[in-house]
Amino acid sequence: MDLHTHTVFSDGIGEISDNIAGAEQRMLKLVGISDHIHYFTPKTFNSYVSQIKRFKEESEITVLAGIEANIFPNGVDITDEMARMLDYVIASAHVWLEPGRADLYLKLIKIALQDENVNIIGHFGNLFPHIGYPKEEELMEIIELAEANGKAFEISSRYKVPELSFVKACIQKGVKLTLGSDAHMPKEVGRIGWSLKLFRKAGGKNEDLLFSEML
């Protein structure tokens, strides 16, 4: 699977059909289109969802309609109406934080984990090399909150996160995982080798993945 791909509807350079073709060429069973939410107007969002649904019917593989929303201190910028039209919502913290402020990052993640519209936390921990690493008990609190709210974490091949120990803890707690390339061009779709390797190293099995029933 590759649930994190971008198209010309946001900052990618390929059409939706190009990303799907790329996924087919890499012999994926499941691909998700997940453009950045802040690029959309109501009109372009409707067109986006319609196109994905149309290509979904024509494709030989499973195609899902997703979006990548942003986490802010006052909430995730996804509306109930938009979420109802999608198969899944990724929430990511696209913020700049001072070194030593991992606590602020974790506060944002907690906000997303308690949002009913969110399914997946995108590239968790990509800021840690710059802002510092949380304590183990703080990370376990995040995993337990995800477990309580039925959220999943993305294993990102682009950012090479989360850490192996975090993925292992998710599997032990029954927290679902996803694999994502964060592709911004069709040839990058399906480049999930790093994610898959880490997932397997952590002892992950198909049932540990979100949407495993589609694989």
Side-chain angles (χ1 to χ4, degrees):
M1 67 159 64
D2 186 354
L3 290 184
H4 196 150
T5 76
H6 298 281
T7 74
V8 292
F9 274 94
S10 62
D11 58 349
I13 65 170
E15 300 287 346
I16 290 172
S17 58
D18 296 327
N19 278 23
I20 296 171
E24 290 173 342
Q25 289 170 7
R26 287 189 176 266
M27 302 181 71
L28 297 185
K29 293 183 179 179
L30 174 62
V31 66
I33 311 298
S34 57
D35 276 299
H36 292 286
I37 195 170
H38 51 278
Y39 282 80
F40 288 104
T41 65
K43 183 177 180 180
T44 59
F45 179 72
N46 288 335
S47 175
Y48 171 77
V49 174
S50 296
Q51 282 193 40
I52 295 174
K53 287 183 177 179
R54 175 162 58 87
F55 289 121
K56 181 177 186 175
E57 295 174 357
E58 301 171 356
S59 177
E60 299 175 355
I61 66 174
T62 302
V63 180
L64 298 182
I67 207 160
E68 185 175 15
N70 304 291
I71 313 170
F72 296 106
N74 62 343
V76 181
D77 58 350
I78 179 79
T79 66
D80 294 344
E81 183 180 3
M82 293 177 81
R84 281 194 294 268
M85 296 173 67
L86 299 165
D87 295 308
Y88 65 96
V89 174
I90 299 173
S92 302
H94 297 118
V95 295
W96 183 89
L97 296 172
E98 294 278 358
R101 297 315 309 264
D103 60 315
L104 295 181
Y105 178 83
L106 294 183
K107 283 183 180 179
L108 292 175
I109 299 303
K110 289 177 182 178
I111 288 170
L113 289 172
Q114 296 174 81
D115 190 312
E116 292 183 357
N117 291 323
V118 172
N119 306 103
I120 304 163
I121 301 299
H123 45 70
F124 176 78
N126 67 309
L127 296 182
F128 291 160
H130 311 289
I131 63 176
Y133 288 83
K135 297 177 181 178
E136 184 177 349
E137 56 265 32
E138 292 175 317
L139 292 175
M140 285 307 303
E141 184 181 352
I142 290 292
I143 292 172
E144 289 168 1
L145 190 58
E147 179 189 11
N149 289 282
K151 308 304 184 187
F153 286 97
E154 172 189 75
I155 305 178
S156 172
S157 283
R158 180 180 185 186
Y159 292 101
K160 295 181 170 50
V161 292
E163 298 283 330
L164 175 62
S165 58
F166 187 89
V167 175
K168 284 183 175 179
C170 285
I171 292 170
Q172 290 168 0
K173 285 287 187 177
V175 173
K176 298 294 184 181
L177 298 156
T178 68
L179 311 178
S181 65
D182 208 339
H184 283 71
M185 56 185 67
K187 69 179 183 180
E188 295 175 345
V189 174
R191 289 186 180 176
I192 54 163
W194 187 90
S195 302
L196 189 57
K197 183 178 179 180
L198 188 75
F199 177 70
R200 288 174 173 166
K201 191 174 182 179
K205 300 178 181 178
N206 260 25
E207 55 263 33
D208 298 311
L209 295 170
L210 188 67
F211 301 125
S212 60
E213 68 277 7
M214 299 178 182
L215 298 174

